[in-house]
Amino acid sequence: MNKQIILLPGDGVGKEIMDSAKRVLNAIASEFGHSFTFHQHAIGGDAIDQFETPLPEDTVKACEGADAILLGAVGGKKWDSLPAHLRPEKGLLGIRKTLGLFANLRPVKGFAPLLDASPLKESVIQGSDILIIRELTGGLYFGQPSERRENGNAVVDTLSYHRSEMERIIDKGFQSAQLRNNHLTSVDKANVLESSRMWREIVNQKSKEYPDVTVEHLLVDAAAMKLITQPNTFDVIVTENLFGDILSDEASVLTGSLGMLPSASIRSDGVGLYEPVHGSAPDIAGKGIANPLGMILSAAMMLRYSFGMEDEADEIEEAVNDALEQGYYTADLKVTGGKLVGTEEMTKVVLDNLTTKSVSNSICSVYV
Ligand code: NAD
Ligand code: IPM
Ligand code: MN
């Protein structure tokens, strides 16, 4: 298959890990006979520095014409004091909104070799496999423009959703549960927020259309607690934008590190933007120690969700698992024993594992 892929490395470690994903995709392309063409564009602080805007028109156009988009991360101290509309984060929010990428899928499934990398007990995290579905283009992130009033002493942020925005993400939650273990946890704050009461109403109405899916409602505070005390009781979690942002960083603890989590931001036609869940990690940027696995796993999600390349995606995930089995770990993974490596070496190990698979697959096909 021929695919045009836009690369948006962004800032901080985003720039350091994008190359890892590109090399892995090139290896997959040559093994499976695909042709991936990469076009790199600016976003976030990088775009502010070059074009005085976090989301240049040229970047938007390129993304609109692409088969899929890979993004590293945006943000950093250098741009923290800029006005809200000029911050790097505005670039990321802008591209999500412009492309209509309303469904953010954040799978939280630990790799077996990392069971002891989590600060949580193995007995607690054993067997947990969660898909967090976060609404991505509404809520507090996209209400009326925030404003300061009373000489800067009062502030207003607005949370707004249209019924249709809730319905489509809740449908996605039910449909994803049907493809997994038929259990949906809807997370809200219906004891306080009107938006959550409407959300809960819709979940209850929709549940009649999906009688095979069991539904659990949790208030977000209790959900945060249950996520780390009984993580293996969850299957699919569906929630609004801000709750999903917070809960997914929390859930990353189950996997050993935020650096392990990939994500897909998609709409109904399969076009998607794929990025690790973490940010630009300014505290470690420039040191060559960032974990590239969340980025590499995001590339695997791109192959699976946007291109329907299941075998190729599986192969990347196996190569990552093998690297961890072989004892390689980056500094963010608090494992005992093993071989501590940086971004470059971890990438090479994954590439070597892919090559080994490619060779053994071709030997198998000779003998079949
Ligand atoms: P962060 O996710 O960048 O970092 C949180 C912690 O996790 C840090 O200690 C960091 O070193 C560690 N970490 C993150 N990714 C890692 C990786 N790949 N390997 C090893 N360790 C990793 O969150 P933050 O520090 O709160 O935010 C920093 C900047 O990133 C902010 O400007 C924020 O707005 C931005 N941000 C961007 C995105 C995105 O682009 N999708 C996501 C989150 C935060
Ligand atoms: C994420 C990030 C972003 C978000 C920020 C950088 C705008 O935290 O992708 O999780 O809050 O959505
Ligand atoms: Mn986040």
Side-chain angles (χ1 to χ4, degrees), residues 4 8 16 19 25 46 59-60 67 76 95 120-121 164 167 174 177 187 203 235 254 278 310 312 315 317 338 362:
Q4 304 291 322
L8 307 175
E16 301 169 38
D19 190 51
L25 287 171
D46 177 40
T59 299
V60 175
D67 291 313
I95 197 69
L120 300 171
K121 290 188 189 116
S164 58
E167 283 174 346
F174 276 107
V187 173
V203 172
D235 177 19
L254 303 168
H278 66 75
E310 286 289 335
E312 291 86 334
E315 199 156 299
E317 287 162 1
S362 60

Side-chain angles (χ1 to χ4, degrees), residues 274 297-315 317:
Y274 299 82
L297 293 168
S298 299
M301 285 189 89
M302 175 183 80
L303 298 181
R304 178 170 287 122
Y305 287 96
S306 278
F307 305 161
M309 297 178 182
E310 286 289 335
D311 292 348
E312 291 86 334
D314 285 350
E315 199 156 299
E317 287 162 1

Side-chain angles (χ1 to χ4, degrees), residues 13 17 71-76 80 87 89 92 96 249 257-259 275-284 289-292 332:
V13 300
I17 56 178
L71 185 139
V74 298
D80 273 353
R87 286 183 60 109
E89 291 81 357
L92 178 58
R96 288 172 177 169
D249 269 32
S257 169
L258 181 54
E275 55 170 324
V277 169
H278 66 75
S280 59
D283 52 340
I284 59 160
I289 60 171
N291 184 345
D332 52 310

Side-chain angles (χ1 to χ4, degrees), residues 221-265:
D221 43 359
M225 182 273 297
K226 195 171 175 186
L227 203 46
I228 51 170
T229 51
Q230 298 174 64
N232 54 20
T233 63
F234 291 94
D235 177 19
V236 177
I237 294 176
V238 67
T239 191
E240 65 87 53
N241 203 342
L242 183 62
F243 297 159
D245 177 46
I246 298 167
L247 292 181
S248 51
D249 269 32
E250 186 198 9
S252 76
V253 173
L254 303 168
T255 71
S257 169
L258 181 54
M260 292 300 300
L261 281 204
S263 85
S265 304

Side-chain angles (χ1 to χ4, degrees), residues 100-333:
L101 306 170
F102 69 90
N104 184 214
L105 313 186
R106 299 188 157 185
V108 184
K109 185 178 181 187
F111 286 87
L114 292 182
L115 264 180
D116 78 333
S118 172
L120 300 171
K121 290 188 189 116
E122 269 189 45
S123 58
V124 171
I125 54 180
Q126 190 87 258
S128 51
D129 176 357
I130 308 171
L131 176 63
I132 298 180
I133 302 187
R134 168 191 178 195
E135 199 291 325
L136 202 60
T137 51
L140 270 171
Y141 283 69
F142 297 98
Q144 305 298 310
S146 306
E147 57 171 298
R148 292 281 177 107
R149 295 176 181 168
E150 298 177 28
N151 293 327
N153 293 312
V155 65
V156 184
D157 283 314
T158 325
L159 196 171
S160 86
Y161 268 115
H162 191 275
R163 175 176 292 277
S164 58
E165 292 176 299
M166 291 189 182
E167 283 174 346
R168 65 184 178 180
I169 193 73
I170 290 167
D171 272 323
K172 184 82 193 159
F174 276 107
Q175 288 156 8
S176 302
Q178 283 182 321
L179 296 172
R180 291 169 48 101
N181 294 311
N182 291 299
H183 185 56
L184 182 67
T185 304
S186 167
V187 173
D188 63 35
K189 187 74 185 171
N191 53 345
V192 176
L193 300 175
E194 196 51 40
S195 55
S196 283
R197 285 191 278 274
M198 180 162 152
W199 175 280
R200 200 175 273 221
E201 240 170 68
I202 295 172
V203 172
N204 286 334
Q205 282 160 7
K206 290 260 168 213
S207 71
K208 298 185 187 109
E209 293 170 34
Y210 303 93
D212 49 334
V213 177
T214 55
V215 175
E216 172 191 30
H217 293 285
L218 283 183
L219 297 173
V220 63
D221 43 359
M225 182 273 297
K226 195 171 175 186
L227 203 46
I228 51 170
T229 51
Q230 298 174 64
N232 54 20
T233 63
F234 291 94
D235 177 19
V236 177
I237 294 176
V238 67
T239 191
E240 65 87 53
N241 203 342
L242 183 62
F243 297 159
D245 177 46
I246 298 167
L247 292 181
S248 51
D249 269 32
E250 186 198 9
S252 76
V253 173
L254 303 168
T255 71
S257 169
L258 181 54
M260 292 300 300
L261 281 204
S263 85
S265 304
I266 54 176
R267 57 189 196 200
S268 314
D269 64 1
V271 167
L273 180 151
Y274 299 82
E275 55 170 324
V277 169
H278 66 75
S280 59
D283 52 340
I284 59 160
K287 297 184 178 164
I289 60 171
N291 184 345
L293 298 180
M295 182 80 243
I296 290 173
L297 293 168
S298 299
M301 285 189 89
M302 175 183 80
L303 298 181
R304 178 170 287 122
Y305 287 96
S306 278
F307 305 161
M309 297 178 182
E310 286 289 335
D311 292 348
E312 291 86 334
D314 285 350
E315 199 156 299
I316 294 175
E317 287 162 1
E318 280 164 28
V320 167
N321 187 63
D322 292 350
L324 300 167
E325 289 278 8
Q326 290 151 4
Y328 294 99
Y329 70 97
T330 44
D332 52 310
L333 295 166

